[in-house]
Amino acid sequence: MYSIAYDEQRRQVTATLRGFWNPDTVARYAADLFAVVGRIDRSRGPFHMLARSAELAIQSPETVKAFDEFMAEFEQRSTGRVAITVGTMLNKIQASRALANHRIRIFVDEDEALAWLSEETFVPASSVERRPT
């Protein structure tokens, strides 16, 4: 169903997601991912994530809701970019509508996703100065 790995040198979490999930699978995935994220040394700056989901099936509405809740929590726990690869352009369009965020992008091509993750122009969310209006 999924695998999760962390590359310390690249400061990149890579998750590969496959198949048809249910909300319990999303909860197990979230717990496993957050365990990995919790071990990352944040003092060295943001880490990025590549989510390979080209082999992830179209999910039920309940599972989509669980994914949405997971992503909201993940966004709170990370400050880096998230590149999600999908299998088709239709998947990209659908996912892009659901995940509108400057730190998350959807790709059909993994090389493009990796190039975006490695760009040095990224400003982590935690370093953006906020001024009162």
Side-chain angles (χ1 to χ4, degrees):
M1 292 269 175
Y2 62 86
S3 63
I4 303 167
Y6 178 63
D7 181 332
E8 176 70 33
Q9 183 177 1
R10 294 173 73 184
R11 295 196 50 76
Q12 178 180 301
V13 174
T14 300
T16 303
L17 296 73
R18 295 179 192 86
F20 189 76
W21 293 23
N22 60 42
D24 291 337
T25 310
V26 176
R28 285 192 306 276
Y29 168 70
D32 290 345
L33 180 62
F34 292 146
V36 170
V37 168
R39 293 189 299 267
I40 296 173
D41 179 4
R42 304 290 176 95
S43 68
R44 293 188 47 219
F47 66 90
H48 301 303
M49 180 169 179
L50 173 64
R52 294 177 173 141
S53 61
E55 295 180 39
L56 192 63
I58 300 298
Q59 303 296 316
S60 71
E62 297 81 17
T63 302
V64 170
K65 181 179 182 214
F67 266 114
D68 289 343
E69 292 168 359
F70 153 73
M71 283 302 295
E73 186 174 349
F74 183 80
E75 288 181 53
Q76 298 300 312
R77 295 186 185 209
S78 73
T79 57
R81 291 179 175 171
V82 178
I84 300 171
T85 59
V86 295
T88 69
M89 188 58 75
L90 178 59
N91 294 122
K92 178 181 177 179
I93 292 166
Q94 290 174 332
S96 295
R97 281 190 216 136
L99 298 169
N101 184 310
H102 75 283
R103 294 190 301 122
I104 300 172
R105 289 212 185 143
I106 314 301
F107 298 87
V108 174
D109 183 274
E110 187 169 319
D111 289 336
E112 289 179 20
L114 291 169
W116 180 69
L117 288 175
S118 66
E119 287 178 3
E120 295 191 22
T121 59
F122 180 68
V123 177
S126 63
S127 69
V128 175
E129 183 179 339
R130 291 178 171 56
R131 296 180 183 197
T133 56

